[in-house]
Amino acid sequence: MPQHQLGDLVSDIITGTLSVSNDVIADIAGYAALSCYGVVGMDEQLQGADAVRLSANERMRKGVLVKSDEQGLRVDLHVVLENGVNMKSVCENLTSAVAFTLQEIAQIDPAQLTVGIHIEALKNRLS
């Protein structure tokens, strides 16, 4: 069996464009958001509802709204935070994590991305 050295490997570059649907972007952003400290869950946006409804992890995009226009991409996250956390710090971390994850996975230019955080409720993690 032949052995290859690192210098022997050739990397293939594929030219073209990458098109990512808004649903996929929402899933990626939701995943990144749920990975952040202080985020209990995503708030499912129900029309006319007064109560907050936490979405199951399988439906991360329910709390994420994605819009694109000529200025770029806007991702709005509707989150439920853990009671007692520093909201400003969590929101800064959340914005940074979502932007980084979208750049790494979907190759979205951070200069073309706006992330809006909407805190819908505070809850205890165990309740």
Side-chain angles (χ1 to χ4, degrees):
M1 190 160 164
Q3 293 184 357
H4 296 284
Q5 293 184 358
L6 188 58
D8 295 339
L9 299 177
V10 177
S11 170
D12 292 329
I13 297 175
I14 300 171
T15 58
T17 60
L18 174 66
S19 178
V20 182
S21 76
N22 285 356
D23 284 345
V24 172
I25 291 170
D27 281 341
I28 294 168
Y31 169 78
L34 288 173
S35 299
C36 289
Y37 171 79
V39 177
V40 175
M42 306 302 291
D43 173 32
E44 186 172 355
Q45 297 296 292
L46 300 173
Q47 202 69 4
D50 292 333
V52 170
R53 181 174 168 189
L54 290 177
S55 294
N57 286 347
E58 300 83 39
R59 301 183 307 165
M60 291 178 276
R61 76 176 67 147
K62 294 292 183 184
V64 183
L65 301 174
V66 178
K67 296 178 185 171
S68 57
D69 58 21
E70 58 276 348
Q71 278 94 32
L73 186 70
R74 178 165 179 89
V75 177
D76 286 297
L77 301 166
H78 296 267
V79 296
V80 178
L81 298 184
E82 185 174 355
N83 197 19
V85 297
N86 182 315
M87 287 187 236
K88 180 180 179 189
S89 294
V90 171
C91 289
E92 288 171 353
N93 183 39
L94 189 53
T95 301
S96 175
V98 168
F100 175 80
T101 305
L102 286 173
Q103 179 183 12
E104 288 297 306
I105 295 174
Q107 301 296 302
I108 294 173
D109 181 6
Q112 300 293 315
L113 176 66
T114 304
V115 178
I117 309 295
H118 306 272
I119 301 171
E120 300 297 339
L122 298 173
K123 288 189 141 267
N124 291 327
R125 189 166 288 279
L126 298 176
S127 61

